[in-house]
Amino acid sequence: MGRPPFVTRFAPSPTGCLHRGHAFSALTAFAAARDAGGRFLLRIEDIDAGRCRPEYETAIKEDLAWLGLTWEEPVLRQSERLAAYGAALENLRTRGLIYRCFRTRKDSLDDIGRAPHGAADRATPRRLPPADEARLLAEGRPFAWRLSLGAAERAVGGFSRLTFEEEGAGPAGERGTIAARPDLAGDVILARKDLGVSYHLAVAVDDAWQGVTHVSRGCDLFAAAHTQRLLQALLDLPTPVYRHHPLLLRPDGKRFAKRDTAETLADLRARGVTAAALRAELGV
Ligand code: GLU
């Protein structure tokens, strides 16, 4: 008997240059695949055409190669997968699991302004009565598709049946068998008005399509696993094992951000830092 399959991925969005935090994340996933005798995939999460740039994708690949990582070709680019996301959305739509949301950013801001006690008082998005929806559609108003948590809960026979395995840790040390709580995120958007898809839908569809068995990523995305677990159940997709890792922090204790241009990997390289020195510093 061979070892069980182990497929993991690094899934950056080409909206900026990689920094030390990304290096830690990519190296962690790569090391996990190597140690398990498994496969390491690179996925370019470029659905947001307005924010993603081909030059960042090129720079990301240069940085990862400099770090000593190798990945399988062809690289999956989410902008080439819109038909697959559309099919998943259509599946959910025909089963009554999503609804059109015509709310604008201004509606949400107005709600926040009105709500005396913060987020909890905001109007919850909800399915519109058919006549109102027909009127807005006839007016040509743009809409997003939201997941109906109520319909989803009925479809899966209760959220308490949904669990996932966490082999790393969530931000509060969550580990082991985790009961999924998709209700905490509410009726999430599955197709943005401007894009026709959302991060959650694309990730759930692609992790399954690529045969990812282990999702290795920062613990800032632990909450996303709860929603993605529900989408896996609704779309009849396998659930990978999750390995969320702690976020690498800057010396001042803050998170690295794409706007910290002085800390990009390209910048470190230009200053003569070697990949070996960076790997030693990061301990991966
Ligand atoms: N594209 C996401 C990011 O750059 C990561 C998605 C994931 O690992 O699930 O933060």
Side-chain angles (χ1 to χ4, degrees):
M1 278 262 298
R3 292 206 251 184
F6 186 104
V7 183
T8 192
R9 62 4 177 234
F10 178 58
S13 300
T15 55
C17 294
L18 299 188
H19 49 60
R20 275 191 170 83
H22 293 113
F24 179 69
S25 203
L27 286 163
T28 301
F30 185 80
R34 185 196 54 214
D35 294 349
R39 297 166 55 203
F40 174 75
L41 309 177
L42 174 62
R43 183 166 79 219
I44 301 294
E45 301 213 323
D46 60 348
I47 52 174
D48 193 342
R51 294 179 57 227
C52 296
R53 301 263 179 279
E55 53 271 31
Y56 287 133
E57 182 181 328
T58 307
I60 286 170
K61 289 177 180 161
E62 276 168 19
D63 287 340
L64 297 178
W66 173 73
L67 281 170
L69 306 195
T70 52
W71 53 88
E72 292 182 13
E73 297 285 351
V75 168
L76 191 76
R77 201 178 280 125
Q78 289 192 322
S79 57
E80 293 167 5
R81 297 265 303 145
L82 300 182
Y85 311 141
L89 203 65
E90 181 61 9
N91 170 339
L92 299 173
R93 189 190 67 78
T94 55
R95 292 156 60 207
L97 298 173
I98 57 177
Y99 62 90
R100 293 184 181 87
C101 177
F102 294 85
R103 291 167 63 80
T104 61
R105 190 175 292 271
K106 183 170 177 308
D107 291 338
S108 307
L109 291 174
D110 287 352
D111 285 345
I112 295 169
R114 262 198 303 274
H117 303 295
D121 285 341
R122 269 182 244 161
T124 323
R126 61 189 168 78
R127 209 185 280 267
L128 287 179
D132 293 351
E133 182 176 293
R135 179 176 51 78
L136 293 171
L137 277 177
E139 285 172 10
R141 290 262 299 269
F143 58 85
W145 286 104
R146 281 187 189 271
L147 179 65
S148 165
L149 268 185
E153 185 163 24
R154 287 188 292 280
V156 298
F159 293 149
S160 60
R161 300 159 66 109
L162 302 183
T163 60
F164 60 90
E165 294 305 316
E166 175 59 63
E167 288 185 355
E174 300 92 334
R175 195 179 164 82
T177 303
I178 309 286
R181 292 289 312 274
D183 48 310
L184 296 179
D187 286 359
V188 289
I189 289 183
L190 293 188
R192 278 170 47 173
K193 273 181 194 169
D194 53 340
L195 304 179
V197 61
S198 72
Y199 158 73
H200 286 304
L201 184 69
V203 166
V205 168
D206 283 343
D207 279 338
W209 165 256
Q210 293 189 285
V212 170
T213 61
H214 290 73
V215 170
S216 174
R217 62 185 179 191
C219 69
D220 54 333
L221 288 170
F222 179 76
H226 293 257
T227 297
Q228 289 162 16
R229 176 66 187 91
L230 173 58
L231 291 179
Q232 290 150 11
L234 293 174
L235 293 167
D236 202 16
L237 304 173
T239 298
V241 170
Y242 288 88
R243 289 190 180 180
H244 290 95
H245 59 70
L247 292 188
L248 188 78
L249 297 177
R250 300 190 320 191
D252 62 5
K254 298 215 178 84
R255 286 173 58 161
F256 283 100
K258 283 190 170 150
R259 57 186 175 280
D260 293 337
T261 46
E263 286 293 339
T264 64
L265 300 186
D267 189 72
L268 296 181
R269 197 155 72 230
R271 295 206 314 257
V273 175
T274 64
L278 179 62
R279 282 203 306 270
E281 179 200 313
L282 298 176
V284 240

